[in-house]
C-alpha cells in the first residue's frame, strides 16, 4: 500500500512539474508587420492573354511583337496595337506598395487611369490591365509578362 502511495505521489508530482513547464514556457510574441516593398514594373512586358468582353482574343490578333516598356516613370509602346493609349508618355501607380490603378499620361493627352493587378501566377509576376478604348461597351483585359531577351 505504501508503494502504491509513493508511486501515485511521484506521478502527481511529475504531472505538476510538467504542467508548470508547459504554462511557464508560453510567451507572448509581438508580431511586427513587414513593410511591403514598392511594386517595380520596370522592364518590357508582352501580352500573353487578351480578352474582349470575356472572350479570349489572344489567337485572333498577333500580339507577339507588341510590348509596353516601363522605365523611370515613363512608358514606351513597341509595335503598337489597340491599347489604352496610342502614344508614349509617363505613368504612375495610385499606391506604390499596393497598386490597384495605373495612370497613363500620353504626351499631350489627358491622363487615363485603368484597373491594375500585379499577381504572381505559377511563380511568374504578371500585369493585368483592364480598359475600354473608345467604346465603353467593349472591355479589354490584357495580361502581360516580362519579355525575355
Amino acid at each position: 500500500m505504501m508503494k502504491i502511495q509513493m508511486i501515485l505521489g511521484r506521478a502527481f508530482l511529475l504531472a505538476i512539474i510538467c504542467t508548470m513547464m508547459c504554462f511557464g514556457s508560453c510567451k507572448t510574441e509581438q508580431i511586427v508587420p513587414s513593410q511591403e516593398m514598392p511594386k517595380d514594373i520596370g522592364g518590357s512586358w508582352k501580352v500573353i492573354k487578351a480578352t474582349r468582353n470575356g472572350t479570349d482574343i489572344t489567337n485572333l490578333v498577333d500580339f507577339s511583337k507588341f510590348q509596353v516598356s516601363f522605365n523611370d516613370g515613363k512608358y514606351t509602346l513597341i509595335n503598337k496595337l489597340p491599347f489604352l493609349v496610342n502614344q508614349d508618355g509617363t505613368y504612375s501607380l495610385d499606391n506604390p506598395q499596393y497598386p490597384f490603378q495605373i495612370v497613363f499620361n500620353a504626351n499631350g493627352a489627358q491622363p487615363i487611369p485603368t484597373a491594375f493587378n500585379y499577381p504572381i501566377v505559377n511563380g511568374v509576376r504578371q500585369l493585368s490591365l483592364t480598359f475600354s478604348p473608345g467604346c465603353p461597351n467593349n472591355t479589354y483585359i490584357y495580361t502581360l509578362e516580362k519579355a525575355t531577351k
Side-chain angles (χ1 to χ4, degrees):
M1 182 77 145
M2 184 85 145
K3 258 187 171 181
I4 294 176
Q5 285 180 338
M6 214 158 126
I7 292 173
L8 288 175
R10 285 183 181 167
F12 180 71
L13 184 60
L14 184 60
I16 290 175
I17 291 171
C18 287
T19 303
M20 288 176 57
M21 287 176 62
C22 287
F23 287 116
S25 66
C26 293
K27 297 177 186 174
T28 303
E29 291 185 31
Q30 187 174 14
I31 298 173
V32 179
S34 62
Q35 184 70 14
E36 184 78 18
M37 296 298 295
K39 302 301 182 247
D40 177 21
I41 63 171
S44 293
W45 297 79
K46 63 180 179 179
V47 176
I48 59 166
K49 183 177 180 184
T51 64
R52 180 182 63 216
N53 299 331
T55 302
D56 191 341
I57 61 168
T58 309
N59 295 326
L60 300 177
V61 178
D62 182 11
F63 288 101
S64 65
K65 295 177 184 166
F66 173 75
Q67 290 185 10
V68 180
S69 181
F70 297 99
N71 188 20
D72 294 328
K74 296 179 182 178
Y75 69 89
T76 305
L77 302 174
I78 302 161
N79 295 315
K80 298 176 184 175
L81 283 175
F83 191 60
L84 184 64
V85 291
N86 58 11
Q87 294 180 334
D88 300 344
T90 60
Y91 75 93
S92 61
L93 301 176
D94 63 334
N95 182 324
Q97 293 171 316
Y98 305 103
F100 289 101
Q101 188 178 67
I102 186 170
V103 178
F104 288 91
N105 193 352
N107 296 329
Q110 290 285 95
I112 301 174
T114 190
F116 173 85
N117 286 314
Y118 195 62
I120 295 176
V121 178
N122 296 325
V124 178
R125 178 66 73 185
Q126 294 182 348
L127 294 178
S128 179
L129 303 172
T130 304
F131 58 94
S132 293
C135 178
N137 293 332
N138 289 322
T139 300
Y140 292 82
I141 300 174
Y142 282 8
T143 303
L144 303 105
E145 281 185 359
K146 274 208 175 173
T148 56
K149 292 185 177 184

